[in-house]
Amino acid sequence: MTKIKLCGLSKPCDIEAANALQPEYIGFVFAPKSKRYVSMEQAAALKKRLDSTIKAVGVFVNENPETTAAYLEAGIIDIVQLHGGESKSYIRQLRSLTDKPLIQAFRIDTKQDIETANESSADYVLLDSGDGGTGTTFEWHLLKKISRPYFLAGGLTIYNAENAVRTLTPYAVDVSSGIETDGHKDRNKMTAFVNAVRSVDSTAARI
């Protein structure tokens, strides 16, 4: 079954919608320059409202490893997503501070980007376009060279999610701007996106 990550949640109503829809993951963005940024205190309050079966992912951009680890140890998040230019040595340093899972994000423009993602020492990789949250897709044909399970991100919407899952069979899909209206999470779009992804799984189960 394709797993789902609803990213960039920032309000109690976003969490309520997620609890009803039951994605495997939700995401909090801790990059100050992002319009979806939430503080440590905001995320802590939101996490208390989150269904315990849903994993909270913290998105960081070139953050100090000790700071990142502190969010994990405080129980505010369950998984770290590295969305900057974090190096192999950064990951080693972070692993010395925590044993929680790590996701490393990669901007995919060329075949070489895929090879770099294949070599990542993170537990999971996320393949994106641009710097994240841009609402644009990348050239999916490049994914023929990926040799490990991955989160598919970048330009996913209620209109292309079903085709993406059916065609690419990613480990998980990650959506943020594709479930928003006027810069805010839209419960109807969140529901439609989850239903689109799960319709592929339910069809496959009947075959």
Side-chain angles (χ1 to χ4, degrees):
M1 183 178 77
T2 306
K3 300 184 185 303
I4 298 170
K5 175 167 169 270
L6 304 178
C7 200
L9 306 193
S10 61
K11 301 177 181 178
C13 59
D14 299 342
I15 300 297
E16 290 171 10
N19 287 342
L21 294 169
Q22 289 289 296
E24 285 74 18
Y25 308 95
I26 62 94
F28 296 133
V29 178
F30 298 114
K33 292 183 179 180
S34 172
K35 62 183 180 182
R36 302 177 183 91
Y37 169 78
V38 292
S39 68
M40 189 176 195
E41 294 73 22
Q42 287 174 304
L46 293 171
K47 180 61 159 35
K48 289 179 180 178
R49 294 172 174 264
L50 184 67
D51 189 305
S52 61
T53 63
I54 303 172
K55 299 296 184 184
V57 179
V59 181
F60 298 89
V61 177
N62 301 320
E63 183 57 83
N64 182 289
E66 287 78 10
T67 300
T68 300
Y71 282 76
L72 288 165
E73 299 311 309
I76 297 171
I77 57 173
D78 306 294
I79 303 171
V80 163
Q81 180 177 317
L82 304 174
H83 218 100
E86 294 86 358
S87 64
K88 292 180 181 179
S89 61
Y90 179 100
I91 292 177
R92 284 195 298 271
Q93 185 176 357
L94 185 55
R95 286 201 186 281
S96 73
L97 300 170
T98 180
D99 60 358
K100 301 293 177 63
L102 308 180
I103 304 169
Q104 186 171 20
F106 293 89
R107 174 175 174 165
I108 303 301
D109 292 315
T110 67
K111 292 180 181 179
Q112 182 56 51
D113 297 326
I114 294 291
E115 289 304 314
T116 302
N118 280 333
E119 296 169 0
S120 171
S121 61
D123 299 282
Y124 304 99
V125 295
L126 182 146
L127 310 180
D128 203 350
S129 59
D131 295 320
T134 61
T136 58
T137 60
F138 60 89
E139 297 295 333
W140 287 350
H141 68 84
L142 295 171
L143 294 174
K144 293 177 181 178
K145 297 295 184 180
I146 193 72
S147 60
R148 60 188 293 176
Y150 62 93
F151 284 72
L152 177 67
L156 293 178
T157 69
I158 60 177
Y159 303 108
N160 64 9
E162 181 178 346
N163 181 55
V165 172
R166 194 182 304 280
T167 304
L168 303 172
T169 61
Y171 166 77
V173 287
D174 184 319
V175 63
S176 186
S177 61
I179 50 172
E180 292 178 348
T181 298
D182 297 329
H184 301 283
K185 291 294 181 283
D186 182 320
R187 185 165 185 155
N188 290 332
K189 288 184 179 179
M190 293 169 76
T191 302
F193 184 89
V194 169
N195 289 343
V197 173
R198 290 186 174 151
S199 70
V200 180
D201 294 320
S202 60
T203 299
R206 293 196 298 269
I207 296 175

